[in-house]
Amino acid sequence: MNAPPLLIATALTKRYSASREAPAVVDRLDLNIASGEIVVVIGRSGSGKSTLLNLIGQMDAPDSGRICFAGSDCSGWDDEQRTTFRRRNLGFVFQAYNLLPTLSVWENVAMSLELNGELDDKRVEKILGRLGLGQLAGRYPDQLSGGEQQRTAVARALIHNPQLIIADEPTGNLDQRTGAQVVNEFESCVREAGAALLMATHSPDMIGRADRVLELESGALRDTSA
């Protein structure tokens, strides 16, 4: 990748114990991600993948270290600043979908635009059509299959054109066929939008499409890309 880094994380450290003797979940970790790049993080269960994504996604603050995004230093931001940043610049896709059960497919997807004061019915309709959800717009999450819920989550993550998409095991609850369908649609949308993607996954399909594969072990990242 020749593009300049979109994100630069330097010496990130995170512990979940007050004791400095306790091992760090993330230990002086460095990570750069360029626009248009797909980066996959692998590692055993409990290795800290979700913790790393939460730090990069500004949902948690490191004990030490620095994150710079598009030239802006995120260090020292308060909760309100982090929330505004997430809404405008990041898209999230989780294994558990995290759809609001009282909102329809259309409303769940439109929510990302509404929070930014940018509601646009045509944009919602376009992405629902793109992901094969047009006929399901009025349904609620409990009326959808797992694959349909995940595609709704992907649409919600991409609708506001985020610069960075963060995905935590997004195909973990899906069967192989449905998971492959979601991966196809996810990669296509990400590549065409020129966004960066940081994903924790065990999916061989997604690992095979990544620009870089990084293994998280003992709090540090190791590049295992071929």
Side-chain angles (χ1 to χ4, degrees), residues 9-21:
T10 307
L12 293 185
T13 298
K14 184 67 178 181
R15 288 182 173 85
Y16 288 109
S17 171
S19 171
R20 296 191 64 83
E21 302 299 321

Side-chain angles (χ1 to χ4, degrees), residues 74-128:
C74 308
S75 306
W77 280 358
D78 58 27
D79 288 343
E80 183 177 355
Q81 288 172 305
R82 286 199 295 267
T83 298
T84 299
F85 170 80
R86 289 196 303 268
R87 287 177 177 174
R88 296 194 176 278
N89 299 286
L90 305 182
F92 295 91
V93 184
F94 303 97
Q95 181 175 351
Y97 316 134
N98 288 5
L99 301 177
L100 294 180
T102 58
L103 299 183
S104 68
V105 168
W106 197 98
E107 291 167 334
N108 265 284
V109 173
M111 181 175 59
S112 293
L113 295 179
E114 289 185 289
L115 291 172
N116 289 328
E118 300 174 352
L119 183 57
D120 183 336
D121 290 1
K122 290 184 177 179
R123 283 174 67 180
V124 178
E125 292 168 2
K126 181 178 180 180
I127 199 163
L128 290 181

